[in-house]
């Protein structure tokens, strides 16, 4: 038994080291190509930063793994996988010369349009995976979509991918169960959110999906483990995702981050969101009980 445990620990640490090495190698090859003047002039600095960040993540993974901090080391492991993906994409766009062709946002959108439906499919797949395995907040995925497709198309494509991912995450929690969700999310994070939402899964979860400050990917898995019914989840996730995605897409496009008034608006929005959630939490027991009574929903035994 001890031998098997040692082999398991060695394999997990070796896997993290290999993923780190892959990210470094592809980043180095990407930076070695003749590309943008900025990259040529700061090649050594960029390489040092890339290696430093990846090395720190790998070291943190090993430390947290040895300390058995499941939620944290699994998050870092997912981050290393995501960095591998980014490094491969970076290498591809440098090796093909694509990076030298894009010198403005409109040029990027024109280039993406040349791929037609494939660009759409890849972006929807990215949004889907963002919910299931990628450690990327949904707001960042939507912001990237706005840059690529504009707010209207981004809203539609993001909505499709995120809703499909949310349904799959809920199904994993409902059908496969606690052990599968614990492996994906991490025991500490899962137990923390289940404890917070115990007895308030309908109202509080719905509000959390609507507000942008909560880990929607984890909450989808938690919802599958809660007493929430399939019909309620489907209606709730469609409505909340539509509102949150559209709001994020159009606010990113309309409210700039590089002006004083734009920053003030974002601060005001954040304050309103925090105030709204505080009020909901304060009266959550009464509201949640009212909703369940009206819908005649019984808790699962």
């Amino acid at each position: 038994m001890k031998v098997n445990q040692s082999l398991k620990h060695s394999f997990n640490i070796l896997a993290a080291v290999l993923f780190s090495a892959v990210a470094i190698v592809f980043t180095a090859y990407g930076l070695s190509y003749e590309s943008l003047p900025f990259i040529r002039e700061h090649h050594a600095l960029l390489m040092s930063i890339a290696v430093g960040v990846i090395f720190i993540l790998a070291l943190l993974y090993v430390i947290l793994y040895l300390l058995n901090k499941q939620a944290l080391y699994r998050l870092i492991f997912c981050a290393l996988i995501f960095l591998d993906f980014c490094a491969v994409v970076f290498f591809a766009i440098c090796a093909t010369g694509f990076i030298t062709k894009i010198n403005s946002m409109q040029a990027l959108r024109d280039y993406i349009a040349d791929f037609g439906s494939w660009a759409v499919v890849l972006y929807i797949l990215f949004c889907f995976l963002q919910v299931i395995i990628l450690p990327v907040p949904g707001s960042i995925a939507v912001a990237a979509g706005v840059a690529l497709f504009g707010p209207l198309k981004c809203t539609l494509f993001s909505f499709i991918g995120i809703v499909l991912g949310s349904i799959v995450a809920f199904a994993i929690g409902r059908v496969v169960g606690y052990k599968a969700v614990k492996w994906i999310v991490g025991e500490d994070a899962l137990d923390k959110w289940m404890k917070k939402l115990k007895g308030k899964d309908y109202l509080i979860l719905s509000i959390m999906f609507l507000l942008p400050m909560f880990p929607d990917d984890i909450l989808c898995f938690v919802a599958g483990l809660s007493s929430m019914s399939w019909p309620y989840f489907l209606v709730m996730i469609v409505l909340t995702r539509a509102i949150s995605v559209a709001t994020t897409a159009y606010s990113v496009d309309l409210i700039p981050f590089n002006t004083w008034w734009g920053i003030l608006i974002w601060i005001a929005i954040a304050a309103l969101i925090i105030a709204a959630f505080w009020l909901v939490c304060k009266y959550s027991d009464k509201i949640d009980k009212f909703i369940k009574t009206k819908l005649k929903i019984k808790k699962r035994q």
Side-chain angles (χ1 to χ4, degrees), residues 10-301:
S10 299
F11 176 79
N12 288 334
I13 292 175
L14 179 61
V17 172
L18 289 176
F19 279 118
S20 302
V22 169
I24 291 174
V25 169
F26 276 97
T27 301
Y29 274 111
L31 290 173
S32 67
Y33 281 89
E34 293 292 325
S35 51
L36 299 178
F38 177 82
I39 294 179
R40 291 197 299 270
E41 293 172 7
H42 301 88
H43 177 273
L45 176 62
L46 293 173
M47 190 63 208
S48 299
I49 292 173
V51 172
V53 169
I54 296 169
F55 176 78
I56 291 172
L57 284 175
L59 183 61
L60 282 174
Y61 173 85
V62 173
I63 294 173
L64 293 171
Y65 183 84
L66 294 176
L67 294 174
N68 198 30
K69 300 293 184 180
Q70 292 185 357
L72 293 175
Y73 77 67
R74 284 175 178 169
L75 178 63
I76 292 177
F77 191 79
C78 290
L80 289 173
I81 296 175
F82 180 67
L83 285 177
D84 281 352
F85 173 79
C86 292
V88 172
V89 171
F90 175 69
F91 166 75
I93 64 176
C94 289
T96 58
F98 165 73
I99 195 171
T100 61
K101 299 177 182 178
I102 303 304
N103 50 24
S104 69
M105 189 57 65
Q106 188 56 48
L108 176 61
R109 290 180 181 176
D110 292 341
Y111 189 90
I112 293 294
D114 291 339
F115 287 90
S117 58
W118 280 110
V120 175
V121 171
L122 289 175
Y123 179 71
I124 292 175
L125 178 62
F126 174 78
C127 291
F128 173 84
L129 293 176
Q130 171 264 318
V131 179
I132 305 298
I133 59 172
L134 296 180
V136 181
S139 56
I140 294 180
V142 174
V146 172
L148 295 175
F149 304 105
L152 180 60
K153 291 182 178 180
C154 168
T155 299
L156 175 61
F157 302 153
S158 301
F159 175 77
I160 293 172
I162 292 174
V163 167
L164 289 177
S166 301
I167 292 173
V168 170
F170 182 87
I172 290 174
R174 180 55 47 89
V175 178
V176 184
Y178 178 85
K179 289 185 177 180
V181 177
K182 181 180 71 172
W183 187 89
I184 297 172
V185 174
E187 186 174 5
D188 294 339
L190 178 59
D191 290 343
K192 180 185 75 173
W193 284 106
M194 290 190 69
K195 183 179 180 180
K196 285 184 178 181
L197 299 171
K198 186 177 181 180
K200 305 174 185 177
D201 42 8
Y202 279 80
L203 173 70
I204 299 300
L205 270 175
S206 301
I207 297 298
M208 285 180 172
F209 280 119
L210 193 59
L211 300 178
M213 62 175 62
F214 297 100
D216 295 347
D217 48 350
I218 294 178
L219 297 180
C220 287
F221 291 106
V222 173
L225 296 172
S226 72
S227 63
M228 186 177 290
S229 65
W230 265 107
Y232 182 92
F233 176 80
L234 292 174
V235 173
M236 180 272 294
I237 204 66
V238 167
L239 292 177
T240 56
R241 292 300 203 187
I243 294 172
S244 62
V245 169
T247 302
T248 302
Y250 280 95
S251 61
V252 168
D253 190 60
L254 296 176
I255 306 175
F257 288 93
N258 57 352
T259 62
W260 65 267
W261 60 269
I263 294 174
L264 285 179
I265 292 176
W266 281 112
I267 293 174
I269 291 174
L272 288 173
I273 289 173
I274 294 172
F277 184 72
W278 179 83
L279 289 172
V280 170
C281 289
K282 184 175 181 180
Y283 300 102
S284 60
D285 291 331
K286 293 181 180 180
I287 301 174
D288 196 61
K289 183 178 179 181
F290 174 80
I291 292 176
K292 289 181 178 179
T293 301
K294 289 298 181 180
L295 295 177
K296 298 180 180 180
I297 298 173
K298 295 181 179 180
K299 294 182 180 179
R300 290 191 302 172
Q301 300 297 326

